[in-house]
Amino acid sequence: MKEKTNIRDLFSSAAERNTFLKICAPMVRYSKLEFRHLVRSYGTDLAFTSMIMADSFCKSEKARLNEFTTNEEDTPLIAQFAANNTIDFLSASEMVYPYVDGVDLNCGCPQRWAMAEGYGSALLKTPELIADMLGTVRRNMPSTFSVSVKVRLLSSTDHKRTIDMCRQLEATGITFLTVHGRTAPEMTKVPVHKDALQEIKQSIGIPMVANGDIFTLDDAEQMYLQTKCDGVMTARGILSNPALFAGHSSTPVECVKRWLNICQQADTDITYQCMHHHFSFMTESLLTKRLRYELNNLSKEKQKVYEFIQTHLPLDGVVDDVGSGRQYPEKISCTYSERNYRERTTVVNGGRKDDSTAASAGSLYDPEASEGNFFQSKRVELDATTPALDGDGESTVDGVDFMDGGCILFDE
């Protein structure tokens, strides 16, 4: 079992220092072990895994190997699960317990498939079910182990509805909760409702993490000052700039060099998609649009990406005292027991053996099967404008509107 970090103590320590926890959000495809190492080297205090389907995690060894990896330095760490019933959430939490410092329930993802299957934002319609899942896990896990939930606003105008829900969830004994400052239908162009976040914080007694529209350290500090939150979580901002919490306004070349070192060490442990997408996001401010277009359309060979980065960015002249020559520890070989899950599902099925082959939409979900709309939105921008670029490659591009997290697979 990995050495544990007490998440409640992290919040207490930050409060004593009159500051807030800096948190990297759970992002499908992107919040992997290697990226967690990178952002921690730039001031991130707490990291989440990607959102993991709890039913897949319980049923499939392949899913566990694909969706969760860790090592001895990968702490503080919270595993986020998407679940729509108590058995899946409790069983997945028990299985991952030896390797993380807490578990989190996703009640914010507004994707259509998730909503249809009763995951993510769909759960906000049944707060009693959320409370049952959280309370069951809380009662069955050690008190020092963090149990938390991520929600959205129920209304942008009637704050009382969200406050009442948060109080109901607080009563289950959770360690903290995260609130995204928009409703599920609201687009990213709608500003985060900081007044609602402030009211929620004033109405509960546990730590609250604020999420939404955090692209710089100044954004995080302003969120803290205005809402009095205990932590600030970022998703899109830290994808584009993993050094955000260190105070960098855009990605420094040193950060790209550090990511290159991490990827080369990880070798086959990191997928091409994960490696390539992160390079694409973090070099937005460092490459011309024409070069970004070339990077996004490279053939799927890791070495070609590495050579492209080394050719077009001045990595050799960068001194990185933290990341240069850094050797990361080996992954832990995680072992899991499905016994409790099998026993629970047998009871629920009236003694019939659980049919793991009859997978639900959740357990069939493969986040690596497509490139994801966040990456695709960037590609669309470049595809539409690259042929018309002028010589210096600095023409202005309008952003691409998309649902707030609805197709990106993270709640930002």
Side-chain angles (χ1 to χ4, degrees):
M1 183 184 296
K2 278 171 59 179
E3 184 176 344
K4 298 285 187 192
T5 299
N6 189 306
I7 303 300
R8 184 176 285 108
D9 288 349
L10 282 183
F11 282 106
S12 297
S13 175
E16 290 171 0
R17 292 179 283 114
N18 295 314
T19 188
F20 58 94
L21 290 187
K22 303 172 180 68
I23 303 173
C24 179
M27 297 174 283
V28 170
R29 299 183 181 91
Y30 303 129
S31 298
K32 302 294 188 179
L33 171 62
E34 294 78 17
F35 189 66
R36 297 195 296 265
H37 278 312
L38 180 67
V39 296
R40 284 196 185 100
S41 73
Y42 285 102
T44 293
D45 298 312
L46 174 61
F48 281 64
T49 66
S50 303
M51 183 188 78
I52 302 169
M53 298 304 303
D55 61 347
S56 300
F57 196 81
C58 292
K59 293 178 180 180
S60 167
E61 179 68 17
K62 180 180 178 181
R64 294 191 285 268
L65 290 172
N66 287 341
E67 293 302 312
F68 181 78
T69 56
T70 190
N71 60 29
E72 294 293 344
E73 292 185 3
D74 187 26
T75 185
L77 176 64
I78 290 179
Q80 189 190 67
F81 289 107
N84 59 9
N85 65 81
T86 299
I87 288 178
D88 288 349
F89 187 42
L90 174 59
S91 302
S93 297
E94 290 173 336
M95 293 169 76
V96 81
Y97 168 76
Y99 310 110
V100 298
D101 305 302
V103 292
D104 187 81
L105 180 64
N106 182 306
C107 297
C109 179
Q111 276 225 123
R112 288 173 186 162
W113 71 264
M115 298 283 284
E117 294 295 321
Y119 295 104
S121 295
L123 289 168
L124 298 177
K125 300 175 183 177
T126 54
E128 64 280 357
L129 175 57
I130 303 174
D132 182 46
M133 286 193 280
L134 293 173
T136 300
V137 172
R138 178 70 288 164
R139 290 190 300 272
N140 285 276
M141 305 301 286
S143 61
T144 54
F145 186 73
S146 180
V147 178
S148 58
V149 62
K150 189 170 190 286
V151 301
R152 286 174 171 265
L153 300 181
L154 298 181
S155 168
S156 59
T157 55
D158 183 4
H159 301 167
K160 185 178 183 300
R161 289 180 57 203
T162 309
I163 289 171
D164 288 345
M165 177 185 68
C166 290
R167 284 174 170 167
Q168 182 179 1
L169 304 184
E170 177 184 16
T172 66
I174 56 176
T175 309
F176 71 97
L177 61 80
T178 301
V179 184
H180 181 84
R182 297 186 182 91
T183 65
E186 287 182 324
M187 312 278 277
T188 52
K189 62 186 178 184
V190 176
V192 164
H193 304 284
K194 293 183 180 179
D195 56 335
L197 295 175
Q198 182 181 21
E199 284 193 46
I200 294 168
K201 172 55 190 171
Q202 291 172 344
S203 303
I204 60 176
I206 58 174
M208 187 200 78
V209 174
N211 173 227
D213 287 355
I214 305 299
F215 297 101
T216 65
L217 180 58
D218 183 64
D219 289 340
E221 290 171 343
Q222 289 302 313
M223 178 70 82
Y224 168 66
L225 292 173
Q226 186 167 340
T227 67
K228 310 302 180 187
C229 60
D230 302 276
V232 175
M233 176 184 286
T234 177
R236 290 177 294 153
I238 208 164
L239 273 185
S240 296
N241 178 13
L244 181 157
F245 283 133
H248 295 276
S249 58
S250 60
T251 305
V253 177
E254 163 203 283
C255 180
V256 180
K257 183 176 183 178
R258 200 172 294 181
W259 180 240
L260 176 63
N261 177 45
I262 290 173
C263 291
Q264 289 175 325
Q265 281 193 45
D267 195 18
T268 57
D269 286 339
I270 188 170
T271 65
Y272 173 88
Q273 183 188 83
C274 182
M275 172 276 301
H276 177 231
H277 284 199
H278 279 300
F279 272 126
S280 177
F281 298 145
M282 70 176 67
T283 57
E284 283 184 357
S285 62
L286 297 170
L287 298 174
T288 64
K289 289 184 174 67
R290 190 175 300 280
L291 288 177
R292 287 171 54 203
Y293 178 86
E294 291 179 23
L295 173 60
N296 286 354
N297 289 280
L298 288 174
S299 61
K300 294 188 176 182
E301 298 176 45
K302 288 183 179 179
Q303 191 56 40
K304 287 190 178 296
V305 177
Y306 298 156
E307 291 172 357
F308 182 93
I309 293 297
Q310 290 168 321
T311 298
H312 295 289
L313 290 175
L315 303 188
D316 291 339
V318 173
V319 177
D320 181 10
D321 294 332
V322 174
S324 181
R326 171 77 191 279
Q327 295 297 311
Y328 293 91
E330 296 290 324
K331 291 191 304 181
I332 293 173
S333 180
C334 300
T335 58
Y336 307 93
S337 172
E338 297 181 6
R339 179 179 176 180
N340 288 348
Y341 174 72
R342 296 301 174 191
E343 290 178 351
R344 290 178 183 125
T345 52
T346 298
V347 171
V348 169
N349 292 333
R352 299 188 304 275
K353 185 176 181 181
D354 177 49
D355 183 7
S356 296
T357 61
S360 68
S363 58
L364 285 172
Y365 172 65
D366 178 9
E368 302 260 347
S370 69
E371 290 186 320
N373 276 34
F374 189 66
F375 181 78
Q376 286 288 1
S377 71
K378 302 296 184 181
R379 175 171 280 175
V380 167
E381 292 177 11
L382 296 174
D383 286 352
T385 60
T386 298
L389 287 178
D390 54 28
D392 62 9
E394 296 301 336
S395 63
T396 300
V397 183
D398 290 331
V400 176
D401 284 337
F402 42 81
M403 283 294 293
D404 180 18
C407 297
I408 317 173
L409 288 182
F410 48 85
D411 307 327
E412 173 85 4

